[in-house]
Amino acid sequence: MKISASRFAGASLAVLSLTLAVPATAQDDASQATPTTEAIPGDQAAPAQDGNAIVVYGLRRADTLQDTPAAITAFSAETIANAGIEKPADFINLTPNVNLVETQNVGNAFVIIRGITQARNSEPSVAVVVDGVQQVNPAQFNQDLFDIQQIEVLKGPQGALYGRNAIGGAIIITTKQPTDQLEGSVTVGIDNGFGWYTHGGISGPLAKGVKFRLSGLFKDTDGYIRNPYLGEDADPYKDYALRGNLLFDLGPDWNLDLRASADRTRTQGFWYNIVADVNDVSLPVRVNNAGIDNRDTNNVSAKLSYAGEGFKMTSVTSYDTVKEIITGDAFDFLPINEAFCHVTPFCFSGNNDLNQSQYLNVKAFSQELRFESPTSTPLFWMFGGYMISTDRFISTGNMLDLGKGVFPVYRTPTTNPDNPQYSFLSDQQNNFAWAAFANLGYEFSDLFRIDGSLRYDHDRRKNTTKTPEAWLAYINYIAFLNGAPQSHEGDVRRRNFSDWQPKVTATFTPTKNLTIYGGYSRGFRSGGFNQTGVGVVAASSGVVGVNDVFEAETADTLEAGFKSQWFDGLLTLNGAAFTTTSKNGYFFVYLYANSTQNLGNVPKVRLKGIELEARVVPADDFQIDASWGLTDSEIKAFPDPAAIGNEAPDISRSTINVGVQWTPDMGGGVSGLLRWDFRRTGRTWWDVYNTTVRNPVSLLDVRAGIKTDAWSLTAFASNLFNEKYNAEFSPGGFVFKARPRVYGVEAGYRF
């Protein structure tokens, strides 16, 4: 069902009218998430507030969540513990109008916010900032979370604040900080994988003016999705992670924050089924090659800050590496003795199957320098610059499956006779981006404030073909047939992508308990390069919208929203309505002919939506949360007229969240926990032609336990009713099974 402009405007006005119709009562600021009294160390001092209020930093200045003029869902340390948030999917599933698609391999997890999508090998749809350092590659995002203090999810373009690729929003993750006293915690758990895990941290002073924090995680499970052909689970998972932090007080007004982290993930991927209907979950995983999926990520960063008289300077320097090798079966993902003959142009007797390998290696150095005023004055200003240099290598290829296994291929084609190379492509990208930004906000009175931000991003990209000449023969043959230029090893392609990203927000606060805001923002996401020669292959295959270069995307958004509290904190009610015009949005295409994963552009998509979030706290130990998000999309322009008017790919029509939490005092310093979280994700479309649509998916997670100040014991179950569904449908009929029911028990100790 489409939403007409009149109905959308009417619904938006109704939401605002509902808020204005109820008289507000004077009260202190109540929390939007589970109450916490621990402030988050940020770049600005926290404002004066009620002890129950959450302070957020997503708009680059400290403010209470209820006073911040943006659609933000925040999770405090207590909420993170009570809800069992241990991976990105956990908090995204609690956020309206936000979805996470997990597929193919651990580095491919796509965040979709308000219809702004992401795909394989694409630029991210959100800026992910961990302790003030922005992640440089989307393959970093899907990591286990541990020792986390707060998570903020900002919806709507945030490019004026966080630069290119914050086109859908921003996710701000703050880990727990070094402490003045020695303290620590450890958690151990088991689940039905059969798996076990442990994570924890220790913190305290090292010397005068020096504090530390060290935290880590280990997780090991056999998996949850059975492969009956191999007699084992398709998704074993092992992860090791370590993070360290040193905080130096360098004297009057100077602080230095040094951080380092490393994560090593070992799992498997490419365990697809091929179906026509995304709702078909009847087929088991039956790949004959388990393969590997090994991802290594590293980060070192330094944040130097100086708090002078009337201003603050912050410098953030970061170096990141991401390396992932993934091997496994290839199309049609059936055992070798059942696969049909699909090798082109020849069929080999007894060897009619393929397997595949993909290698990604990214290195990036980034630097940000900004100056800002105190937030306590009516006039707030900030200006600065940012730069990032990135080297990215990617290779993909198919090998003939001789029944002897699949072996990784890195920078050059394999010479392994047990797994002979069938196709191979590789590219080296050297990118340099820079930005300049300025923010200005003025509080005219207690009732009215205007904030404006402007950022210019320039992204220079260079792609060098690393494919050996012999392996370009097929692409050049297709090019010859179509009168297209030939490709050669060493070919260099260059493109510059740049844009201005403005943001203007007006905030009206008629009472202490009601905030109304509205404004305009633009997001910009860089374009990039598909692998060499895919444009001509796509054209010869009848695929439109896919070229050697995919263009930059922009999203222009108008938004109006409100935040309100009623009846002395009994009820919190927030809402927002938005309309977005996306130009050159991404869509994904897999080309069988050269076994490549490619991005195309949808020239124009119109997105409209509404969000409502409510919380009822009838007692100190009992709360109910509910939220509803609606996103309506329509393709307005596309090279093939058959797609115009369709839903945009990868977008879910709606989300519904309902959570109930009871934490009774059981006496003797013991409290209980009973929590359930329900999530319903509406109908989801997957390609520009809307060839299939996934039916709504309903999931229920539960947790129950007891705890004291020193220890806790909790039982949990996610997807309690074992809902069977496919996490993704990729054009061509590829479906990736979602995780079934997972249950277990964990124990924690704090000192």
Side-chain angles (χ1 to χ4, degrees):
M1 179 186 70
K2 295 292 179 184
I3 301 175
S4 67
S6 60
R7 292 179 62 190
F8 175 76
S12 305
L13 289 173
V15 167
L16 293 175
S17 299
L18 172 65
T19 307
L20 295 172
V22 183
T25 57
Q27 65 176 71
D28 289 335
D29 207 10
S31 71
Q32 168 66 11
T34 302
T36 178
T37 57
E38 187 172 1
I40 307 295
D43 293 334
Q44 293 283 352
Q49 58 175 300
D50 184 304
N52 285 333
I54 279 192
V55 177
V56 293
Y57 298 85
L59 296 187
R60 296 260 191 176
R61 66 173 190 268
D63 210 341
T64 59
L65 181 60
Q66 281 301 114
D67 291 338
T68 301
I72 302 179
T73 301
F75 303 89
S76 69
E78 188 175 354
T79 299
I80 292 168
N82 289 344
I85 294 174
E86 296 183 342
K87 55 186 183 298
D90 294 333
F91 69 81
I92 287 177
N93 283 341
L94 299 176
T95 307
N97 262 348
V98 182
N99 293 294
L100 182 72
V101 177
E102 296 178 275
T103 185
Q104 182 175 299
N105 57 295
V106 69
N108 270 305
F110 314 140
V111 181
I112 296 97
I113 296 187
R114 291 180 170 180
I116 301 297
T117 62
Q118 189 179 328
R120 293 164 181 79
N121 304 320
S122 79
E123 296 299 313
S125 57
V126 296
V128 180
V129 182
V130 181
D131 292 326
V133 178
Q134 191 163 329
Q135 289 186 350
V136 300
N137 190 278
Q140 295 173 269
F141 176 63
N142 197 27
Q143 298 186 36
D144 287 292
L145 301 172
F146 57 95
D147 213 29
I148 303 297
Q149 178 62 39
Q150 185 160 303
I151 301 169
E152 304 170 35
V153 182
L154 286 77
K155 287 167 282 188
Q158 304 297 330
L161 299 175
Y162 294 104
R164 78 200 210 292
N165 305 337
I167 189 169
I171 296 174
I172 315 300
I173 299 174
T174 305
T175 65
K176 292 186 177 179
Q177 306 298 300
T179 56
D180 294 319
Q181 304 292 327
L182 183 66
E183 64 175 47
S185 66
V186 62
T187 298
V188 295
I190 58 173
D191 65 31
N192 61 312
F194 175 81
W196 72 280
Y197 58 89
T198 182
H199 56 80
I202 186 170
S203 177
L206 281 179
K208 184 178 180 180
V210 183
K211 296 182 287 188
F212 82 98
R213 191 169 197 99
L214 183 65
S215 53
L217 171 142
F218 176 77
K219 181 179 289 187
D220 188 4
T221 182
D222 294 335
Y224 310 95
I225 299 173
R226 196 68 180 163
N227 181 342
Y229 182 83
L230 294 178
E232 62 186 33
D233 290 326
D235 59 334
Y237 182 85
K238 185 177 290 186
D239 190 58
Y240 318 78
L242 189 66
R243 182 172 61 240
N245 179 201
L246 288 173
L247 188 60
F248 296 86
D249 182 350
L250 301 179
D253 306 323
W254 287 93
N255 286 283
L256 177 63
D257 191 342
L258 299 179
R259 296 176 182 269
S261 64
D263 188 282
R264 302 289 182 267
T265 304
R266 302 293 180 260
T267 182
Q268 295 171 184
F270 289 140
W271 30 272
Y272 288 106
N273 290 127
I274 305 298
V275 299
D277 181 0
V278 67
N279 300 296
D280 184 353
V281 295
S282 63
L283 300 177
V285 173
R286 299 182 66 240
V287 296
N288 63 279
N289 287 295
I292 61 171
D293 179 10
N294 297 340
R295 183 189 63 181
D296 299 345
T297 65
N298 302 287
N299 168 261
V300 291
S301 66
K303 181 165 69 173
L304 180 66
S305 59
Y306 170 74
E309 185 174 348
F311 78 98
K312 182 175 183 177
M313 180 276 293
T314 303
S315 169
V316 180
T317 308
S318 180
Y319 179 72
D320 293 83
T321 66
V322 182
K323 186 184 297 184
E324 185 169 14
I325 178 70
I326 175 173
T327 71
D329 254 16
F331 185 86
D332 57 358
F333 304 98
L334 289 174
I336 186 172
N337 59 313
E338 296 182 30
F340 59 79
C341 187
H342 63 268
V343 176
T344 303
F346 304 106
C347 288
F348 299 86
S349 177
N351 302 321
N352 298 334
D353 205 8
L354 296 176
N355 50 43
Q356 60 184 308
S357 178
Q358 177 171 296
Y359 176 61
L360 176 71
N361 191 326
V362 182
K363 301 175 182 178
F365 172 82
S366 63
Q367 173 66 53
E368 181 181 63
L369 180 65
R370 65 179 183 268
F371 299 85
E372 59 196 286
S373 67
T375 56
S376 56
T377 60
L379 178 65
F380 172 76
W381 52 263
M382 177 189 295
F383 66 90
Y386 175 81
M387 59 77 66
I388 181 170
S389 177
T390 305
D391 291 328
R392 178 180 183 268
F393 176 87
I394 185 171
S395 69
T396 61
N398 282 129
M399 292 78 70
L400 294 177
D401 190 347
L402 304 182
K404 298 180 181 181
V406 55
F407 300 91
V409 177
Y410 295 92
R411 292 182 177 269
T412 57
T414 182
T415 57
N416 185 345
D418 292 331
N419 200 198
Q421 196 85 43
Y422 176 74
S423 66
F424 181 81
L425 290 174
S426 62
D427 289 274
Q428 179 77 46
Q429 295 182 9
N430 304 100
N431 306 327
F432 180 80
W434 62 269
F437 57 86
N439 305 338
L440 190 65
Y442 188 74
E443 187 173 334
F444 292 89
S445 68
D446 292 340
L447 296 178
F448 187 65
R449 177 187 179 104
I450 289 183
D451 291 278
S453 305
L454 184 62
R455 179 171 175 132
Y456 178 77
D457 280 83
H458 185 277
D459 199 352
R460 185 188 69 207
R461 302 206 161 196
K462 173 185 174 184
N463 186 96
T464 303
T465 301
K466 292 294 184 178
T467 309
E469 201 77 24
W471 294 96
L472 291 169
Y474 176 71
I475 290 175
N476 285 331
Y477 172 71
I478 298 298
F480 172 76
L481 293 179
N482 289 272
Q486 303 284 293
S487 298
H488 301 282
E489 182 180 5
D491 282 351
V492 176
R493 294 178 286 165
R494 293 182 173 88
R495 285 292 297 270
N496 293 331
F497 303 96
S498 60
D499 210 338
W500 292 93
Q501 297 183 86
K503 181 181 177 72
V504 179
T505 304
T507 307
F508 179 54
T509 313
T511 75
K512 190 174 183 180
N513 304 303
L514 176 61
T515 299
I516 301 172
Y517 64 91
Y520 161 80
S521 58
R522 162 171 279 207
F524 159 70
R525 174 161 52 178
S526 291
F529 300 101
N530 289 317
Q531 288 193 259
T532 299
V534 302
V536 67
V537 175
S540 68
S541 303
V543 176
V544 300
V546 175
N547 300 289
D548 281 12
V549 176
F550 55 92
E551 300 298 332
E553 179 185 4
T554 59
D556 293 281
T557 296
L558 292 171
E559 179 176 356
F562 70 90
K563 296 185 174 184
S564 64
Q565 294 169 342
W566 315 101
F567 316 120
D568 293 325
L570 175 66
L571 171 65
T572 299
L573 181 63
N574 298 338
F578 65 90
T579 178
T580 297
T581 299
S582 165
K583 294 183 179 179
N584 291 323
Y586 294 166
F587 73 96
F588 173 76
V589 170
Y590 175 78
L591 293 176
Y592 299 91
N594 59 353
S595 189
T596 53
Q597 300 178 349
N598 307 287
L599 296 177
N601 292 112
V602 181
K604 185 176 181 180
V605 174
R606 177 63 55 82
L607 302 161
K608 295 177 288 188
I610 298 173
E611 294 152 5
L612 286 174
E613 296 182 83
R615 161 163 295 190
V616 180
V617 187
D620 290 341
D621 60 0
F622 187 71
Q623 65 185 45
I624 302 172
D625 294 276
S627 63
W628 172 64
L630 175 70
T631 300
D632 179 77
S633 67
E634 183 178 0
I635 296 175
K636 292 291 189 178
F638 194 71
D640 184 352
I644 295 175
N646 286 350
E647 300 280 347
D650 300 324
I651 296 175
S652 299
R653 171 57 57 83
S654 63
T655 60
I656 298 174
N657 296 84
V658 180
V660 178
Q661 179 175 290
W662 184 39
T663 53
D665 184 350
M666 304 177 69
V670 179
S671 62
L673 170 66
L674 180 61
R675 180 182 177 109
W676 63 266
D677 289 290
F678 170 81
R679 163 87 167 196
R680 181 177 174 86
T681 303
R683 302 178 73 201
T684 306
W685 290 263
W686 300 99
D687 64 349
V688 293
Y689 294 105
N690 293 177
T691 55
T692 186
V693 56
R694 192 180 68 189
N695 294 331
V697 174
S698 298
L699 304 175
L700 180 65
D701 299 341
V702 297
R703 294 177 67 84
I706 55 175
K707 67 177 181 178
T708 69
D709 290 339
W711 57 266
S712 63
L713 182 65
T714 308
F716 62 88
S718 61
N719 191 4
L720 178 65
F721 295 116
N722 202 27
E723 175 96 356
K724 291 180 172 59
Y725 65 102
N726 289 314
E728 187 213 24
F729 178 95
S730 180
F734 300 75
V735 290
F736 203 75
K737 286 184 178 294
R739 180 175 287 186
R741 177 173 51 228
V742 177
Y743 58 88
V745 64
E746 65 181 27
Y749 176 70
R750 297 172 294 278
F751 63 88

